[in-house]
Amino acid sequence: FTGTWQGRFGAVWDLREGRMAKRFDGAHVVGAFRPDGATLCVGTAEKHVFYETGSWRILREHARSEGVDLAIAVAFSADCQTVAIPHSRYQTRLVDTKTAAVLATLRNPEGVATSMLCFDSTGSTLIAITAAKDLLAWDLVPREAENE
């Protein structure tokens, strides 16, 4: 996937065939593949759209908060069960990839804007890189599970 910043479109490229496989129009387009490659999420300032790879059938869409002017890519957990969707630059939703249920809403400290998201390798921590290049971390392990 190649995205764009102040361009015209993002795209998926078929490197074997040397051609564009799918074009995604927009001035600022970002994308992230699910770790198993089955799904691509394309984000713009207005929404995130999940596509089935290959067929490019739309699986679902998540609207972003009003007044958002910057696309931020989603982050998938390594086990493909959870996706972190930036609802705004200050709020991230954790969503179940099978049911699309919102599992949690994470809020940044006042005035701290997210520019990138990623999970650690176990999926137990979500990291946000801020616009000021600081890191925010959320421990996603329920407290009662630690004592087991």
Side-chain angles (χ1 to χ4, degrees):
F1 182 87
T2 55
T4 184
W5 168 250
Q6 298 181 345
R8 295 185 319 225
F9 63 91
V12 171
W13 296 91
D14 182 331
L15 298 180
R16 288 186 195 106
E17 308 251 342
R19 64 175 181 79
M20 186 185 311
K22 177 70 176 168
R23 177 180 165 141
F24 304 95
D25 291 324
H28 186 199
V29 182
V30 295
F33 283 96
R34 203 169 84 166
D36 64 5
T39 305
L40 169 67
C41 179
V42 175
T44 64
E46 297 82 28
K47 62 186 173 182
H48 286 92
V49 182
F50 291 79
Y51 294 90
E52 178 181 70
T53 54
S55 72
W56 307 114
R57 179 176 61 92
I58 294 175
L59 301 172
R60 69 176 160 272
E61 296 184 16
H62 289 267
R64 297 197 61 210
S65 177
E66 293 292 324
V68 176
D69 61 354
L70 180 67
I72 303 168
V74 301
F76 288 97
S77 61
D79 64 6
C80 301
Q81 293 183 25
T82 307
V83 61
I85 301 173
H87 182 64
S88 73
R89 294 193 71 200
Y90 308 98
Q91 189 180 97
T92 300
R93 291 183 177 165
L94 298 180
V95 176
D96 183 292
T97 57
K98 289 183 182 131
T99 67
V102 175
L103 305 171
T105 299
L106 308 173
R107 289 172 176 72
N108 294 6
E110 188 69 33
V112 177
T114 297
S115 61
M116 185 180 286
L117 296 166
C118 66
F119 283 95
D120 72 344
S121 62
T122 67
S124 63
T125 304
L126 179 68
I127 305 293
I129 300 171
T130 71
K133 307 287 188 267
D134 294 322
L135 298 177
L136 301 174
W138 287 274
D139 180 358
L140 305 177
V141 177
R143 291 291 141 221
E144 56 273 3
E146 287 184 344
N147 297 325
E148 294 178 6

Coordinates of all heavy atoms in Angstrom, one line a residue, residues 24-113:
F24 N -7.4 4.3 -4.2 CA -8.3 4.9 -3.2 C -8.1 6.4 -3.2 O -7.1 6.9 -2.9 CB -7.9 4.4 -1.8 CG -7.9 2.9 -1.7 CD1 -6.7 2.2 -1.9 CD2 -9.1 2.2 -1.4 CE1 -6.7 0.8 -1.9 CE2 -9.1 0.8 -1.4 CZ -7.9 0.1 -1.6
D25 N -9.1 7.1 -3.7 CA -9.1 8.5 -3.9 C -9.1 9.3 -2.6 O -9.8 8.9 -1.7 CB -10.2 9.0 -4.8 CG -10.0 8.5 -6.3 OD1 -8.9 8.4 -6.7 OD2 -11.1 8.2 -6.9
G26 N -8.4 10.4 -2.6 CA -8.4 11.3 -1.4 C -7.1 12.1 -1.4 O -6.1 11.7 -1.9
A27 N -7.2 13.2 -0.7 CA -6.0 14.1 -0.6 C -5.0 13.6 0.5 O -3.8 13.8 0.4 CB -6.4 15.5 -0.2
H28 N -5.5 12.9 1.5 CA -4.6 12.3 2.5 C -5.2 10.9 2.8 O -6.3 10.8 3.4 CB -4.6 13.2 3.7 CG -3.6 12.7 4.8 ND1 -3.7 13.1 6.1 CD2 -2.6 11.9 4.7 CE1 -2.7 12.5 6.7 NE2 -2.0 11.8 5.9
V29 N -4.5 9.9 2.3 CA -5.0 8.5 2.5 C -3.9 7.7 3.1 O -2.7 7.7 2.7 CB -5.3 7.9 1.1 CG1 -5.8 6.5 1.2 CG2 -6.3 8.8 0.3
V30 N -4.2 6.9 4.1 CA -3.3 6.0 4.8 C -3.9 4.6 4.8 O -5.1 4.5 4.6 CB -3.0 6.5 6.3 CG1 -2.3 7.8 6.3 CG2 -4.3 6.5 7.1
G31 N -3.1 3.6 5.0 CA -3.6 2.2 5.0 C -2.8 1.3 5.9 O -1.7 1.6 6.2
A32 N -3.5 0.2 6.3 CA -2.8 -0.8 7.1 C -3.5 -2.1 6.8 O -4.7 -2.2 6.8 CB -3.0 -0.5 8.6
F33 N -2.6 -3.1 6.6 CA -3.1 -4.5 6.4 C -3.2 -5.2 7.7 O -2.4 -5.0 8.6 CB -2.2 -5.3 5.5 CG -2.3 -4.9 4.0 CD1 -1.4 -4.0 3.5 CD2 -3.2 -5.6 3.3 CE1 -1.5 -3.7 2.1 CE2 -3.3 -5.2 1.9 CZ -2.5 -4.3 1.3
R34 N -4.2 -6.0 7.9 CA -4.3 -6.9 9.0 C -3.1 -7.9 8.9 O -2.7 -8.2 7.8 CB -5.7 -7.7 9.0 CG -6.1 -8.2 10.3 CD -7.5 -8.7 10.2 NE -7.5 -10.1 9.7 CZ -8.6 -10.8 9.8 NH1 -9.7 -10.4 10.3 NH2 -8.5 -12.1 9.4
P35 N -2.6 -8.3 10.1 CA -1.4 -9.2 10.0 C -1.5 -10.4 9.1 O -0.5 -10.8 8.5 CB -1.1 -9.5 11.5 CG -1.6 -8.4 12.2 CD -2.9 -7.9 11.5
D36 N -2.7 -11.0 9.0 CA -2.8 -12.2 8.2 C -3.1 -11.8 6.7 O -3.2 -12.7 5.9 CB -4.0 -13.1 8.7 CG -5.3 -12.4 8.7 OD1 -5.5 -11.3 8.1 OD2 -6.3 -13.0 9.1
G37 N -3.1 -10.5 6.4 CA -3.3 -10.1 5.0 C -4.7 -10.1 4.5 O -4.9 -9.7 3.3
A38 N -5.7 -10.6 5.3 CA -7.0 -10.8 4.8 C -7.8 -9.4 4.6 O -8.8 -9.4 3.9 CB -7.8 -11.7 5.7
T39 N -7.4 -8.4 5.3 CA -8.1 -7.1 5.3 C -7.2 -6.0 5.2 O -6.1 -6.0 5.7 CB -8.9 -7.0 6.6 OG1 -9.8 -8.1 6.8 CG2 -9.8 -5.7 6.7
L40 N -7.6 -5.0 4.4 CA -6.9 -3.7 4.4 C -7.8 -2.6 4.9 O -9.0 -2.6 4.5 CB -6.5 -3.3 2.9 CG -6.0 -1.9 2.7 CD1 -4.7 -1.7 3.4 CD2 -5.9 -1.6 1.2
C41 N -7.4 -1.8 5.8 CA -8.1 -0.7 6.3 C -7.5 0.6 5.7 O -6.3 0.9 5.8 CB -8.1 -0.5 7.8 SG -9.1 0.9 8.3
V42 N -8.4 1.4 5.0 CA -7.9 2.6 4.3 C -8.6 3.8 5.1 O -9.8 3.8 5.3 CB -8.3 2.7 2.9 CG1 -8.0 4.0 2.2 CG2 -7.7 1.5 2.1
G43 N -7.7 4.7 5.6 CA -8.2 5.8 6.3 C -8.1 7.1 5.6 O -7.1 7.4 4.9
T44 N -9.1 8.0 5.8 CA -9.0 9.4 5.4 C -9.4 10.2 6.6 O -9.7 9.7 7.6 CB -10.0 9.6 4.2 OG1 -11.3 9.4 4.7 CG2 -9.7 8.7 3.0
A45 N -9.5 11.5 6.4 CA -9.9 12.4 7.4 C -11.4 12.1 7.9 O -11.7 12.3 9.0 CB -9.7 13.9 7.0
E46 N -12.2 11.6 6.9 CA -13.6 11.4 7.2 C -14.0 10.1 7.8 O -14.9 9.9 8.5 CB -14.4 11.6 5.9 CG -14.4 13.0 5.3 CD -13.1 13.2 4.5 OE1 -12.6 12.2 3.9 OE2 -12.6 14.4 4.4
K47 N -13.2 9.0 7.3 CA -13.6 7.6 7.8 C -12.5 6.6 7.6 O -11.5 6.9 6.9 CB -14.9 7.2 7.0 CG -14.6 7.1 5.5 CD -15.9 6.8 4.7 CE -15.7 6.9 3.2 NZ -16.9 6.7 2.5
H48 N -12.7 5.5 8.1 CA -11.9 4.3 7.9 C -12.8 3.2 7.2 O -13.9 3.0 7.7 CB -11.3 3.7 9.2 CG -10.2 4.6 9.7 ND1 -10.4 5.6 10.6 CD2 -8.9 4.6 9.5 CE1 -9.3 6.2 10.9 NE2 -8.3 5.6 10.2
V49 N -12.3 2.7 6.1 CA -13.0 1.7 5.4 C -12.2 0.4 5.4 O -11.0 0.4 5.0 CB -13.3 2.1 3.9 CG1 -14.1 1.1 3.2 CG2 -14.0 3.5 3.9
F50 N -12.9 -0.7 5.8 CA -12.2 -2.0 5.8 C -12.6 -2.8 4.5 O -13.8 -2.9 4.2 CB -12.6 -2.8 7.0 CG -12.1 -2.2 8.3 CD1 -12.7 -1.1 8.9 CD2 -11.0 -2.8 8.9 CE1 -12.2 -0.5 10.1 CE2 -10.5 -2.2 10.1 CZ -11.1 -1.1 10.7
Y51 N -11.6 -3.3 3.8 CA -11.8 -4.0 2.5 C -11.3 -5.4 2.7 O -10.2 -5.7 3.3 CB -11.0 -3.3 1.4 CG -11.4 -2.0 1.0 CD1 -10.9 -0.8 1.7 CD2 -12.4 -1.8 0.1 CE1 -11.3 0.4 1.3 CE2 -12.8 -0.5 -0.3 CZ -12.3 0.6 0.3 OH -12.7 1.9 0.0
E52 N -12.0 -6.3 2.0 CA -11.5 -7.7 1.9 C -10.4 -7.6 0.8 O -10.7 -7.2 -0.3 CB -12.6 -8.6 1.5 CG -12.2 -10.1 1.2 CD -13.4 -10.9 0.8 OE1 -13.9 -10.7 -0.3 OE2 -13.8 -11.7 1.6
T53 N -9.2 -8.1 1.1 CA -8.1 -8.0 0.1 C -8.4 -8.9 -1.1 O -9.0 -10.0 -0.9 CB -6.7 -8.3 0.7 OG1 -6.8 -9.6 1.3 CG2 -6.3 -7.3 1.7
G54 N -8.0 -8.5 -2.2 CA -8.2 -9.3 -3.5 C -9.5 -8.9 -4.2 O -9.5 -8.4 -5.3
S55 N -10.6 -9.1 -3.5 CA -11.9 -8.7 -4.1 C -12.2 -7.2 -3.9 O -13.0 -6.6 -4.7 CB -13.1 -9.5 -3.5 OG -13.3 -9.0 -2.1
W56 N -11.6 -6.6 -2.9 CA -11.8 -5.2 -2.5 C -13.2 -4.8 -2.2 O -13.7 -3.7 -2.3 CB -11.2 -4.2 -3.6 CG -9.8 -4.6 -3.9 CD1 -9.3 -5.1 -5.1 CD2 -8.7 -4.6 -3.0 NE1 -8.0 -5.4 -4.9 CE2 -7.6 -5.1 -3.6 CE3 -8.5 -4.3 -1.6 CZ2 -6.3 -5.3 -3.0 CZ3 -7.3 -4.4 -1.0 CH2 -6.2 -4.9 -1.7
R57 N -13.9 -5.9 -1.7 CA -15.3 -5.7 -1.2 C -15.2 -5.0 0.1 O -14.4 -5.3 1.0 CB -16.0 -7.1 -1.1 CG -17.4 -7.0 -0.6 CD -18.0 -8.4 -0.5 NE -17.2 -9.3 0.4 CZ -17.5 -9.5 1.6 NH1 -18.5 -8.9 2.2 NH2 -16.8 -10.4 2.4
I58 N -16.1 -4.0 0.3 CA -16.2 -3.2 1.5 C -16.8 -4.1 2.6 O -17.9 -4.6 2.4 CB -16.9 -1.9 1.4 CG1 -16.2 -0.9 0.5 CG2 -17.2 -1.2 2.8 CD1 -16.9 0.3 0.2
L59 N -16.1 -4.3 3.7 CA -16.6 -5.1 4.8 C -17.3 -4.2 5.8 O -18.4 -4.6 6.3 CB -15.4 -5.8 5.5 CG -14.6 -6.7 4.7 CD1 -13.4 -7.2 5.4 CD2 -15.5 -7.9 4.2
R60 N -16.8 -3.0 6.1 CA -17.5 -2.1 7.0 C -16.8 -0.7 7.0 O -15.6 -0.6 6.5 CB -17.6 -2.6 8.4 CG -16.3 -2.7 9.2 CD -16.6 -3.1 10.6 NE -15.4 -3.7 11.2 CZ -15.0 -4.9 11.2 NH1 -15.7 -5.8 10.5 NH2 -14.0 -5.3 11.8
E61 N -17.5 0.3 7.5 CA -16.9 1.6 7.5 C -17.1 2.2 9.0 O -18.1 1.8 9.6 CB -17.6 2.6 6.6 CG -17.4 2.2 5.1 CD -18.1 3.2 4.2 OE1 -18.4 4.3 4.6 OE2 -18.3 2.9 3.0
H62 N -16.1 3.0 9.4 CA -16.2 3.6 10.7 C -16.0 5.1 10.4 O -14.9 5.5 10.0 CB -15.1 3.2 11.6 CG -15.4 1.8 12.1 ND1 -16.0 1.5 13.3 CD2 -15.0 0.6 11.6 CE1 -16.1 0.2 13.5 NE2 -15.5 -0.4 12.5
A63 N -17.0 5.9 10.7 CA -16.9 7.4 10.5 C -16.0 7.9 11.6 O -16.0 7.4 12.7 CB -18.3 8.0 10.6
R64 N -15.3 9.0 11.3 CA -14.5 9.7 12.2 C -15.2 10.9 12.8 O -16.2 11.3 12.3 CB -13.2 10.1 11.6 CG -12.4 8.9 11.1 CD -11.0 9.1 10.8 NE -10.2 9.5 11.9 CZ -9.2 10.3 11.9 NH1 -8.8 10.8 10.7 NH2 -8.5 10.7 12.9
S65 N -14.7 11.4 13.9 CA -15.3 12.6 14.5 C -15.3 13.8 13.5 O -14.4 13.9 12.7 CB -14.4 12.9 15.7 OG -14.9 14.1 16.4
E66 N -16.3 14.6 13.7 CA -16.4 15.8 12.9 C -15.2 16.7 13.2 O -14.6 16.8 14.3 CB -17.7 16.6 13.3 CG -18.9 15.9 12.9 CD -19.2 15.8 11.4 OE1 -18.8 16.7 10.7 OE2 -19.7 14.8 11.0
G67 N -14.8 17.4 12.1 CA -13.7 18.4 12.3 C -12.3 17.8 12.3 O -11.3 18.5 12.5
V68 N -12.2 16.5 11.9 CA -10.8 15.9 11.8 C -10.3 16.2 10.4 O -11.0 16.0 9.4 CB -10.9 14.4 12.0 CG1 -9.6 13.7 11.8 CG2 -11.5 14.1 13.4
D69 N -9.0 16.7 10.4 CA -8.5 17.1 9.1 C -7.3 16.2 8.7 O -6.6 16.5 7.7 CB -8.1 18.5 9.1 CG -7.1 18.9 10.1 OD1 -6.7 18.0 10.9 OD2 -6.6 20.0 10.2
L70 N -7.0 15.2 9.5 CA -5.8 14.4 9.3 C -6.1 12.9 9.4 O -6.7 12.5 10.3 CB -4.7 14.8 10.3 CG -3.4 14.1 10.2 CD1 -2.6 14.5 9.0 CD2 -2.5 14.4 11.5
A71 N -5.7 12.2 8.4 CA -5.9 10.7 8.4 C -4.8 10.1 9.3 O -3.6 10.5 9.2 CB -5.8 10.1 7.0
I72 N -5.2 9.1 10.1 CA -4.3 8.3 10.9 C -4.6 6.9 10.7 O -5.8 6.5 10.8 CB -4.4 8.7 12.4 CG1 -4.2 10.2 12.6 CG2 -3.5 7.9 13.3 CD1 -4.7 10.7 14.0
A73 N -3.6 6.1 10.4 CA -3.8 4.7 10.1 C -4.2 3.9 11.4 O -3.8 4.3 12.5 CB -2.5 4.0 9.5
V74 N -5.0 2.9 11.2 CA -5.4 2.0 12.3 C -4.2 1.1 12.6 O -3.3 1.0 11.9 CB -6.6 1.1 11.9 CG1 -7.8 1.9 11.5 CG2 -6.3 0.1 10.8
A75 N -4.3 0.4 13.8 CA -3.3 -0.6 14.2 C -4.1 -1.9 14.5 O -5.1 -1.9 15.2 CB -2.6 -0.1 15.4
F76 N -3.6 -3.0 13.9 CA -4.2 -4.3 14.2 C -3.3 -5.0 15.3 O -2.1 -4.9 15.2 CB -4.2 -5.2 13.0 CG -5.3 -4.7 12.0 CD1 -4.9 -3.9 10.9 CD2 -6.6 -5.2 12.1 CE1 -5.8 -3.6 9.9 CE2 -7.5 -4.8 11.1 CZ -7.1 -4.0 10.0
S77 N -4.0 -5.7 16.2 CA -3.2 -6.6 17.1 C -2.7 -7.8 16.3 O -3.2 -8.1 15.3 CB -4.1 -7.1 18.2 OG -5.2 -7.9 17.7
A78 N -1.6 -8.3 16.8 CA -0.9 -9.4 16.1 C -1.8 -10.7 15.9 O -1.7 -11.4 14.9 CB 0.4 -9.8 16.8
D79 N -2.8 -10.9 16.9 CA -3.7 -12.0 16.7 C -4.9 -11.7 15.9 O -5.8 -12.5 15.7 CB -4.1 -12.5 18.1 CG -4.9 -11.5 18.9 OD1 -5.3 -10.4 18.4 OD2 -5.2 -11.7 20.1
C80 N -4.9 -10.5 15.3 CA -6.0 -10.1 14.4 C -7.4 -9.9 15.0 O -8.4 -9.7 14.3 CB -6.1 -11.0 13.2 SG -4.6 -11.1 12.2
Q81 N -7.5 -10.0 16.4 CA -8.7 -9.9 17.0 C -9.2 -8.5 17.4 O -10.4 -8.3 17.5 CB -8.7 -10.8 18.3 CG -8.6 -12.2 18.0 CD -8.6 -13.1 19.3 OE1 -9.2 -12.6 20.3 NE2 -8.0 -14.2 19.2
T82 N -8.3 -7.6 17.4 CA -8.6 -6.2 17.8 C -8.0 -5.2 16.9 O -6.8 -5.4 16.4 CB -8.1 -5.9 19.3 OG1 -8.6 -6.9 20.1 CG2 -8.5 -4.6 19.8
V83 N -8.7 -4.1 16.6 CA -8.1 -3.0 15.8 C -8.3 -1.8 16.6 O -9.4 -1.5 17.2 CB -8.8 -3.0 14.4 CG1 -10.3 -2.7 14.5 CG2 -8.1 -1.9 13.5
A84 N -7.3 -0.9 16.6 CA -7.3 0.4 17.3 C -7.6 1.4 16.1 O -6.9 1.5 15.2 CB -6.0 0.7 17.9
I85 N -8.8 2.1 16.3 CA -9.2 3.0 15.2 C -9.2 4.4 15.8 O -9.9 4.7 16.8 CB -10.7 2.7 14.8 CG1 -10.7 1.2 14.2 CG2 -11.2 3.7 13.8 CD1 -12.2 0.8 13.9
P86 N -8.4 5.3 15.2 CA -8.4 6.7 15.7 C -9.7 7.4 15.3 O -9.9 7.7 14.1 CB -7.2 7.3 15.0 CG -6.9 6.4 13.9 CD -7.5 5.1 14.1
H87 N -10.6 7.6 16.3 CA -11.8 8.2 16.0 C -11.6 9.7 15.8 O -12.3 10.4 15.0 CB -12.8 8.0 17.2 CG -14.1 8.6 17.0 ND1 -15.0 8.2 16.0 CD2 -14.8 9.6 17.7 CE1 -16.1 8.9 16.1 NE2 -16.0 9.7 17.1
S88 N -10.7 10.3 16.5 CA -10.3 11.7 16.3 C -8.8 11.7 16.6 O -8.2 10.7 16.9 CB -11.0 12.6 17.3 OG -10.6 12.5 18.6
R89 N -8.2 12.8 16.6 CA -6.7 12.9 17.0 C -6.5 12.8 18.5 O -5.4 12.6 18.9 CB -6.1 14.2 16.5 CG -6.1 14.3 15.0 CD -5.3 15.4 14.4 NE -3.9 15.1 14.6 CZ -2.9 16.0 14.6 NH1 -3.2 17.2 14.4 NH2 -1.7 15.6 14.8
Y90 N -7.6 12.8 19.3 CA -7.5 12.8 20.7 C -8.2 11.5 21.3 O -8.3 11.4 22.5 CB -8.1 14.0 21.3 CG -7.5 15.3 20.7 CD1 -8.1 15.9 19.6 CD2 -6.3 15.7 21.1 CE1 -7.6 17.0 19.0 CE2 -5.7 16.8 20.5 CZ -6.3 17.5 19.4 OH -5.7 18.6 18.8
Q91 N -8.8 10.7 20.5 CA -9.6 9.6 21.0 C -9.4 8.3 20.1 O -9.5 8.5 18.9 CB -11.0 10.0 21.0 CG -12.0 9.0 21.7 CD -13.4 9.6 21.7 OE1 -14.1 9.2 20.8 NE2 -13.7 10.5 22.6
T92 N -9.1 7.2 20.7 CA -9.0 5.9 19.9 C -10.0 4.9 20.4 O -10.2 4.8 21.6 CB -7.6 5.4 20.1 OG1 -6.6 6.3 19.6 CG2 -7.4 4.1 19.4
R93 N -10.6 4.2 19.5 CA -11.5 3.1 19.8 C -10.9 1.8 19.6 O -10.4 1.6 18.5 CB -12.8 3.3 19.0 CG -13.6 4.5 19.5 CD -14.9 4.6 18.7 NE -15.6 5.8 19.2 CZ -16.7 6.3 18.6 NH1 -17.1 5.8 17.5 NH2 -17.3 7.3 19.1
L94 N -11.0 0.9 20.6 CA -10.6 -0.5 20.4 C -11.8 -1.2 19.9 O -12.9 -1.2 20.5 CB -10.1 -1.1 21.6 CG -8.8 -0.4 22.2 CD1 -8.4 -1.1 23.5 CD2 -7.7 -0.5 21.2
V95 N -11.7 -1.9 18.8 CA -12.9 -2.6 18.1 C -12.6 -4.1 17.9 O -11.5 -4.4 17.4 CB -13.2 -1.9 16.8 CG1 -14.4 -2.6 16.1 CG2 -13.6 -0.4 17.1
D96 N -13.5 -4.9 18.2 CA -13.4 -6.3 17.9 C -13.5 -6.5 16.4 O -14.5 -6.0 15.7 CB -14.6 -7.1 18.6 CG -14.5 -8.6 18.4 OD1 -14.7 -9.0 17.2 OD2 -14.3 -9.3 19.4
T97 N -12.6 -7.2 15.8 CA -12.5 -7.3 14.3 C -13.6 -8.2 13.8 O -14.0 -8.1 12.6 CB -11.2 -7.8 13.8 OG1 -10.9 -9.1 14.4 CG2 -10.1 -6.8 14.1
K98 N -14.1 -9.1 14.6 CA -15.2 -10.0 14.1 C -16.6 -9.4 14.2 O -17.4 -9.5 13.3 CB -15.2 -11.4 14.8 CG -14.0 -12.2 14.5 CD -14.0 -13.5 15.2 CE -12.7 -14.3 14.9 NZ -12.1 -14.8 16.1
T99 N -16.9 -8.8 15.3 CA -18.2 -8.3 15.5 C -18.4 -6.8 15.3 O -19.5 -6.3 15.3 CB -18.6 -8.6 17.0 OG1 -17.8 -7.8 17.9 CG2 -18.5 -10.0 17.3
A100 N -17.3 -6.0 15.2 CA -17.2 -4.6 15.1 C -17.7 -3.9 16.3 O -18.0 -2.7 16.3 CB -18.0 -4.1 13.9
A101 N -17.8 -4.6 17.5 CA -18.2 -4.0 18.7 C -17.1 -3.2 19.3 O -15.9 -3.6 19.2 CB -18.6 -5.1 19.7
V102 N -17.4 -2.0 19.8 CA -16.4 -1.1 20.4 C -16.2 -1.7 21.8 O -17.1 -1.8 22.6 CB -16.9 0.3 20.5 CG1 -15.9 1.2 21.3 CG2 -17.2 0.9 19.2
L103 N -14.9 -2.1 22.0 CA -14.5 -2.7 23.3 C -14.1 -1.7 24.3 O -14.3 -1.9 25.5 CB -13.3 -3.6 23.1 CG -13.5 -4.7 22.0 CD1 -12.2 -5.5 21.7 CD2 -14.6 -5.7 22.5
A104 N -13.6 -0.6 23.9 CA -13.1 0.5 24.8 C -12.9 1.8 24.0 O -12.6 1.7 22.8 CB -11.9 0.1 25.6
T105 N -13.0 2.9 24.7 CA -12.6 4.2 24.1 C -11.5 4.8 24.9 O -11.7 4.9 26.1 CB -13.8 5.2 24.0 OG1 -14.8 4.6 23.2 CG2 -13.4 6.5 23.4
L106 N -10.3 5.0 24.3 CA -9.2 5.6 25.0 C -9.0 7.0 24.7 O -9.1 7.4 23.5 CB -7.9 4.8 24.6 CG -8.0 3.3 24.7 CD1 -6.8 2.6 24.1 CD2 -8.2 2.8 26.1
R107 N -8.9 7.9 25.7 CA -8.7 9.3 25.5 C -7.3 9.8 25.9 O -6.8 9.4 26.9 CB -9.8 10.0 26.4 CG -11.2 9.9 25.9 CD -12.2 10.4 26.8 NE -13.6 10.3 26.3 CZ -14.3 9.2 26.2 NH1 -13.7 8.1 26.6 NH2 -15.5 9.3 25.8
N108 N -6.8 10.6 25.0 CA -5.4 11.2 25.3 C -5.6 12.2 26.3 O -6.6 12.8 26.5 CB -4.9 11.8 24.0 CG -4.6 10.9 22.9 OD1 -4.9 9.7 23.0 ND2 -4.0 11.3 21.8
P109 N -4.4 12.5 27.0 CA -4.4 13.7 27.9 C -4.8 14.9 27.1 O -4.7 15.0 25.9 CB -3.0 13.8 28.3 CG -2.4 12.4 28.1 CD -3.1 11.9 26.9
E110 N -5.4 15.9 27.8 CA -5.9 17.1 27.2 C -4.9 17.8 26.2 O -3.8 18.0 26.6 CB -6.3 18.1 28.3 CG -7.0 19.4 27.8 CD -8.4 19.1 27.3 OE1 -9.0 18.2 27.8 OE2 -8.8 19.8 26.3
G111 N -5.3 18.0 25.0 CA -4.5 18.7 24.0 C -3.4 17.9 23.4 O -2.6 18.4 22.6
V112 N -3.3 16.6 23.7 CA -2.2 15.7 23.1 C -2.8 15.0 21.9 O -3.7 14.1 22.1 CB -1.6 14.8 24.2 CG1 -0.6 13.9 23.5 CG2 -1.0 15.5 25.3
A113 N -2.3 15.2 20.7 CA -2.8 14.7 19.5 C -2.0 13.4 19.1 O -0.8 13.4 19.1 CB -2.8 15.7 18.4

